[in-house]
């Protein structure tokens, strides 16, 4: 196990650099750009962040062309990152840390927008997303930060979460944002393909829950609200960070809120057993008219403690998340069935972008090699789960290899066949590379593997943009 080395020092950014082929060849029809986002700096001098989510975001762009591939890696120039770079110390409160100094630093300074969770590629710009604030827009080619982005003056500085759902057929983009306050507001957005919000809905939520993702399922938007609530007072007083003030309250159950995707109106509310999830794979409406959602379920909120420990380089908490499915009546939000699909720790469930909101067959995910202690390791394998047969095929990269979330790219003339792109940290050699696998032959060697100029620390989420 050697993932710690990848986060021991701040990642080194680089301008556009041609990539050397380590093995194989870039497929002739793979043309476009992979973008990934993740926390790239976890310390300033001797100061260390409090949680993995506190790291400043950096964007990796890997462009595949007829002449070969090149990569660019840049920190998002957020206001907080610029101020802290100049001061050469941390100044702001964050998800998992209070601001250094007197308590009023926390009361008067906003939580730093780290722009570190995911990306959304629009036709004219790339958005770096963070769930507690507005997106930052970047140049698609150079990854230079343009600035904060209010989606053509339609977002009004509200939060725009990091898991938007794009309907590939209509180009519509669905997303949400949480506004804490005396009452918590859930803002739900529908945007056109340019990102401009065309419809918005405000709903009051009980307490301040942690909501990271949702599902688009046919005509519905499904919000699964796990029983985590922030105890706000210690946060306001600067005594605790948001993360440390989150309380697991299983007695509240998991709330299910269903909205109509066209009107954004609330259709139904229900409650089911307590569980926690960061991520949904997808959702759809089955032939009975019921909603089916797939997600990675944890039995409690220990996953947050594990991710806090990752930032220290020393983990001890075991937090197993497994793939589940739930069937929900949209009219009542009653969960009629829950089923564990796979009894294996996994995260980052993905699917082909053209299947978002519809029935799909293959779920791609990150998992681990056989016989590893998940309390000590990061995810060490990528896999394909066949929802039709229940089969799992996966690639074992060997010891000390850490692949990122796999991103599916369709072959241009055959959308049912594609590639999986993963950025791999090689802990043995302290190097990073980009690998391309055939999505239906994960047990085979990658189609190609290319060396990256510097170490890319473990990242969260990414996307693929076809060459236009
Ligand atoms: Fe996420």
């Amino acid at each position: 196990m050697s993932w710690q080395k990848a986060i021991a020092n701040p990642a080194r950014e680089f301008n556009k650099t041609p990539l050397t082929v380590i093995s194989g060849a870039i497929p002739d029809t793979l043309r476009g750009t992979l973008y990934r986002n993740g926390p790239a700096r976890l310390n300033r001098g001797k100061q260390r962040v409090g949680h993995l989510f506190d790291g400043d975001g950096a964007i990796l762009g890997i462009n595949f062309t007829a002449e070969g591939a090149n990569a660019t890696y840049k920190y998002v120039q957020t206001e907080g990152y610029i101020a802290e770079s100049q001061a050469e110390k941390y100044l702001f409160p964050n998800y998992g840390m209070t601001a250094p100094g007197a308590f009023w630093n926390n009361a008067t300074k906003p939580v730093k927008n780290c722009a570190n969770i995911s990306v959304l590629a629009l036709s004219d710009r790339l958005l770096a997303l963070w769930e507690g604030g507005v997106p930052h827009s970047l140049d698609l080619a150079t990854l230079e930060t343009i600035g904060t982005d209010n989606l053509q003056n339609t977002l009004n500085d509200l939060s725009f979460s990091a898991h938007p759902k794009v309907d590939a057929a209509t180009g519509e983009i669905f997303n949400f944002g949480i506004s804490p306050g005396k009452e918590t507001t859930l803002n739900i957005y529908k945007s056109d393909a340019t990102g401009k919000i065309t419809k918005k809905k405000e709903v009051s939520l009980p307490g301040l829950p942690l909501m990271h993702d949702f599902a688009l399922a046919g005509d519905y938007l499904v919000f699964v609200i796990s029983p985590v609530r922030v105890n706000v007072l210690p946060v306001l007083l600067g005594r605790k960070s948001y993360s440390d003030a989150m309380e697991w309250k299983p007695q509240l159950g998991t709330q299910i809120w269903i909205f109509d995707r066209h009107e954004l109106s609330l259709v139904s509310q229900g409650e089911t057993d307590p569980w926690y999830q960061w991520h949904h794979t997808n959702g759809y409406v089955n032939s009975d008219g019921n909603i089916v959602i797939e997600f990675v379920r944890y039995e409690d909120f220990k996953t947050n403690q594990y991710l806090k420990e990752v930032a220290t380089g020393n983990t001890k908490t075991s937090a197993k998340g497994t793939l589940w499915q739930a069937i929900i009546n949209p009219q009542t939000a009653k969960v009629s069935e829950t089923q564990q699909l796979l009894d294996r720790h996994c995260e980052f469930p993905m699917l082909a972008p053209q299947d978002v909101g519809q029935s799909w067959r293959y779920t791609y995910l990150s998992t681990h090699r056989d016989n590893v202690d998940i309390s000590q390791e990061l995810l060490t394998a990528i896999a394909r789960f066949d929802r039709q047969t229940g089969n799992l095929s996966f690639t074992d990269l060997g010891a000390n290899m850490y692949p990122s979330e796999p991103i599916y790219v369709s072959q241009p003339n055959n959308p049912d066949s594609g590639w999986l792109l993963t950025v791999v940290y090689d802990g043995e050699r302290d190097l990073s590379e980009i690998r391309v696998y055939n999505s239906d032959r994960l047990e085979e060697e990658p189609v190609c593997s290319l060396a990256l100029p510097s170490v890319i620390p473990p990242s969260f989420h990414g996307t693929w943009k076809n060459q236009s």
Side-chain angles (χ1 to χ4, degrees):
M1 144 186 102
S2 55
W3 55 267
Q4 292 88 345
K5 285 189 283 183
I7 58 165
N9 298 303
R12 183 168 62 79
E13 56 189 349
F14 50 84
N15 290 320
K16 184 177 171 182
T17 307
L19 304 186
T20 319
V21 176
I22 300 170
S23 68
I26 299 169
D28 287 343
T29 47
L30 181 66
R31 297 288 179 263
T33 307
L34 172 73
Y35 295 102
R36 292 199 59 75
N37 192 353
R41 171 186 275 275
L42 298 177
N43 68 295
R44 282 199 178 275
K46 289 203 171 76
Q47 284 180 296
R48 193 93 185 150
V49 295
H51 195 286
L52 185 61
F53 295 172
D54 297 338
D56 295 292
I59 311 294
L60 174 68
I62 303 179
N63 182 220
F64 294 85
T65 74
E67 288 76 44
N70 53 71
T72 306
Y73 189 47
K74 290 283 170 70
Y75 282 91
V76 184
Q77 299 295 311
T78 66
E79 207 175 81
Y81 180 77
I82 292 168
E84 291 179 340
S85 296
Q86 284 166 356
E88 296 183 350
K89 61 181 180 185
Y90 287 124
L91 302 171
F92 299 94
N94 210 323
Y95 174 85
M97 58 202 280
T98 54
F103 82 89
W104 56 82
N105 282 347
N106 288 281
T108 56
K109 284 186 179 164
V111 170
K112 183 172 68 173
N113 182 336
C114 294
N116 64 358
I117 304 177
S118 190
V119 279
L120 177 63
L122 302 173
S123 64
D124 60 346
R125 66 203 195 278
L126 183 75
L127 299 181
L129 304 175
W130 180 68
E131 72 189 32
V134 295
H136 285 74
S137 56
L138 283 74
D139 183 283
L140 283 162
T142 65
L143 302 182
E144 295 296 337
T145 302
I146 299 162
T148 51
D149 195 300
N150 258 300
L151 308 177
Q152 289 108 291
N153 297 318
T154 57
L155 186 58
N156 302 323
D157 289 322
L158 292 171
S159 296
F160 190 79
S161 286
H163 285 283
K165 308 297 174 214
V166 180
D167 183 316
T170 65
E172 292 166 300
I173 302 166
F174 298 90
N175 201 5
F176 72 98
I178 297 283
S179 294
K182 204 169 169 194
E183 264 199 337
T184 305
T185 305
L186 167 66
N187 294 298
I188 303 176
Y189 315 112
K190 179 162 69 170
S191 296
D192 63 21
T194 71
K196 183 179 174 183
I197 295 170
T198 55
K199 205 169 193 63
K200 175 172 170 269
K201 188 83 177 179
E202 281 180 27
V203 187
S204 291
L205 287 176
L208 180 54
L210 176 62
M211 292 169 66
H212 184 70
D213 196 2
F214 71 111
L216 172 64
D219 283 334
Y220 303 104
L221 307 177
V222 183
F223 290 82
V224 178
I225 308 170
S226 289
V228 171
R229 298 290 183 273
V230 180
N231 183 7
V232 180
L233 190 61
V235 178
L236 294 177
L237 294 174
R239 293 202 183 118
K240 282 187 177 178
S241 68
Y242 275 95
S243 174
D244 289 341
M246 285 175 187
E247 295 172 352
W248 175 246
K249 297 187 162 182
Q251 69 277 13
L252 297 179
T254 297
Q255 306 296 313
I256 311 277
W257 294 40
I258 315 264
F259 293 84
D260 175 287
R261 71 175 261 176
H262 305 285
E263 297 304 319
L264 305 185
S265 51
L266 183 64
V267 177
S268 58
Q269 289 171 271
E271 189 182 318
T272 188
D273 305 336
W275 73 69
Y276 185 74
Q277 85 286 312
W278 296 109
H279 298 123
H280 296 276
T281 317
N282 194 27
Y284 70 99
V285 175
N286 68 13
S287 53
D288 300 333
N290 288 318
I291 292 170
V292 180
I293 55 168
E294 189 185 272
F295 53 96
V296 175
R297 169 173 168 162
Y298 296 84
E299 290 314 306
D300 53 36
F301 194 47
K302 287 198 191 80
T303 170
N304 192 53
Q305 173 64 26
Y306 167 79
L307 293 167
K308 177 180 175 174
E309 291 165 5
V310 168
T312 69
N314 183 16
T315 56
K316 56 178 192 288
T317 297
S318 187
K320 183 178 176 182
T322 59
L323 199 64
W324 283 69
Q325 174 173 284
I327 299 177
I328 309 166
N329 179 326
Q331 302 313 321
T332 61
K334 191 172 159 36
V335 175
S336 59
E337 192 185 318
T338 56
Q339 183 192 359
Q340 188 183 53
L341 302 175
L342 197 56
D343 182 16
R344 185 184 188 93
H345 176 52
C346 63
E347 253 303 344
F348 303 129
M350 304 291 287
L351 78 164
Q354 65 267 24
D355 292 337
V356 171
Q358 305 172 32
S359 165
W360 79 107
R361 179 163 176 183
Y362 298 113
T363 296
Y364 305 98
L365 38 82
S366 296
T367 182
H368 57 81
R369 309 178 71 206
D370 291 332
N371 305 315
V372 298
D373 179 353
I374 64 164
S375 71
Q376 303 287 308
E377 274 289 16
L378 299 188
L379 296 160
T380 49
I382 57 169
R384 181 179 82 159
F385 176 66
D386 185 339
R387 292 173 46 81
Q388 207 166 300
T389 64
N391 285 343
L392 182 79
S393 56
F394 78 101
T395 179
D396 183 345
L397 289 80
N400 297 308
M401 299 291 272
Y402 299 95
S404 71
E405 163 201 71
I407 299 288
Y408 181 87
V409 181
S410 293
Q411 291 191 10
N413 303 320
N414 184 5
D416 293 333
S417 181
W419 300 286
L420 287 181
L421 273 54
T422 180
V423 175
V424 179
Y425 174 65
D426 177 342
E428 199 77 58
R429 296 183 300 152
D430 198 26
L431 300 167
S432 289
E433 57 191 71
I434 169 74
R435 289 190 178 191
V436 179
Y437 285 89
N438 278 316
S439 67
D440 55 357
R441 276 165 281 161
L442 283 178
E443 56 291 335
E444 295 180 3
E445 290 299 308
V447 178
C448 68
S449 176
L450 312 167
L452 289 161
S454 67
V455 168
I456 309 297
S459 52
F460 292 138
H461 300 294
T463 194
W464 172 261
K465 187 176 192 303
N466 277 321
Q467 192 174 47
S468 46

